[in-house]
Amino acid sequence: MNLLIDGLTKTYDNGVKALNGVSLTIEPGLFGLLGPNGAGKSSLMRTIATLQLPDQGRIVMQDVNGQDIDVLTQPDELRKILGYLPQDFGVYPRIDAVTLLDHLAVLKGIHNGKERKEVVETLLQRVNLWEARKKNLSGYSGGMRQRFGIAQALLGNPKLIIVDEPTAGLDPAERNRFLNLLAGLGQEAIVILSTHIVEDVQELCAQMAIINKGTVLLSGHPLDAVQMV
Ligand code: ADP
Ligand code: ADP
């Protein structure tokens, strides 16, 4: 399984060229997409997540259970295997984690009540929110909210997980905890993490790319990449 991104360009209606020929090959594991504000990270993430179309280019998720998914022409196929945590993920404040995740599981098509109960429990355990499951999400810290965001993104066992700038505003302990959670998910899926924080990609990402002004400046293993700078 690989995610192949080839020659993506995108100019918005206001004339901003957000993507300027982005090509990348991403393997299973945690991939760090590093770049300053305005570099084009969210544009790239939204394009991969089938939320907007590029002007040019190709995105193929190769060898998913023996099949290739052409992301731009088969968005529904991609969505079946996608987990997405957008940058501006909002949670409903007056609801607890179990109730909300249960509702989201229904929307994901998990209609069997017993199965749903198991899925919800497993996910909340996995992101370490089981003890806080009955608490209103409004009382969650930033880190807890982001971990809840991961739990909802994991509904349906995605093979491609996209997490857009999740660590902004987290304290160092929560950041580490969150990155370790993502690295664990990389055992069985492609996990793409976008960030403007260099430290986020240094330790746990198996692969990385640096993007600026819609162009990939370099890509590779974090240690190799650091030597190239
Ligand atoms: P387009 O329609 O240009 O292909 P989108 O559908 O992705 O691109 O964008 C929809 C609209 O969202 C834009 O036309 C713009 O008005 C607005 N928008 C969202 N984010 C921004 C931003 N960062 N800067 C300017 N406009 C924005
Ligand atoms: P990053 O996530 O790295 O901060 P973005 O992809 O959000 O970068 O933005 C790249 C550039 O495109 C910025 O100049 C931003 O203002 C612009 N932009 C982003 N989304 C839109 C949009 N929907 N419409 C117009 N311009 C946008």
Side-chain angles (χ1 to χ4, degrees):
M1 197 173 68
N2 274 319
L3 179 68
L4 198 98
I5 298 167
D6 186 26
L8 287 190
T9 64
K10 173 72 175 179
T11 303
Y12 289 107
D13 290 346
N14 60 0
V16 171
K17 191 159 200 169
L19 301 175
N20 193 3
V22 171
S23 298
L24 287 168
T25 301
I26 302 180
E27 293 165 8
L30 181 56
F31 182 97
L33 180 69
L34 180 65
N37 284 331
K41 300 184 298 297
S42 289
S43 296
L44 179 57
M45 304 292 243
R46 288 197 305 262
T47 307
I48 300 168
T50 76
L51 297 174
Q52 67 180 48
L53 280 170
D55 301 326
Q56 285 180 317
R58 232 163 86 81
I59 308 176
V60 182
M61 187 75 177
Q62 293 178 316
D63 194 17
V64 181
N65 304 321
Q67 303 267 325
D68 287 358
I69 300 173
D70 186 311
V71 175
L72 302 178
T73 60
Q74 301 174 288
D76 290 343
E77 292 304 309
L78 197 271
R79 287 170 196 154
K80 285 182 199 158
I81 59 148
L82 174 71
Y84 179 50
L85 179 56
Q87 187 170 6
D88 49 9
F89 179 68
V91 289
Y92 305 94
R94 286 176 170 268
I95 194 168
D96 64 72
V98 176
T99 309
L100 180 54
L101 202 54
D102 187 73
H103 289 336
L104 294 171
V106 174
L107 294 177
K108 261 287 178 193
I110 309 173
H111 296 297
N112 180 298
K114 187 158 168 274
E115 183 191 346
R116 217 163 53 236
K117 202 160 175 249
E118 280 172 20
V119 167
V120 167
E121 173 166 353
T122 305
L123 285 178
L124 289 176
Q125 300 267 20
R126 181 139 192 206
V127 301
N128 237 308
L129 286 175
W130 184 245
E131 314 241 300
R133 69 189 179 279
K134 298 265 172 71
K135 204 171 153 166
N136 265 349
L137 295 169
S138 58
Y140 274 18
S141 67
M144 292 167 87
R145 285 175 188 220
Q146 289 300 58
R147 282 188 275 127
F148 181 80
I150 290 296
Q152 62 82 28
L154 289 179
L155 283 167
N157 293 320
K159 297 200 177 332
L160 176 63
I161 300 167
I162 294 181
V163 191
D164 199 355
E165 295 254 11
T167 59
L170 300 191
D171 66 41
E174 265 290 13
R175 234 184 67 213
N176 275 338
R177 191 172 191 180
F178 189 81
L179 293 171
N180 275 301
L181 172 62
L182 290 186
L185 302 179
Q187 312 266 333
E188 56 216 67
I190 294 175
V191 184
I192 308 178
L193 156 76
S194 90
T195 179
H196 61 270
I197 304 169
V198 179
E199 286 76 18
D200 281 357
V201 301
Q202 276 178 334
E203 277 178 33
L204 293 168
C205 290
Q207 322 149 69
M208 71 161 313
I210 298 177
I211 182 173
N212 193 22
K213 296 183 179 161
T215 302
V216 176
L217 300 181
L218 57 85
S219 63
H221 185 272
L223 286 178
D224 300 339
V226 166
Q227 282 161 10
M228 282 161 70
V229 173

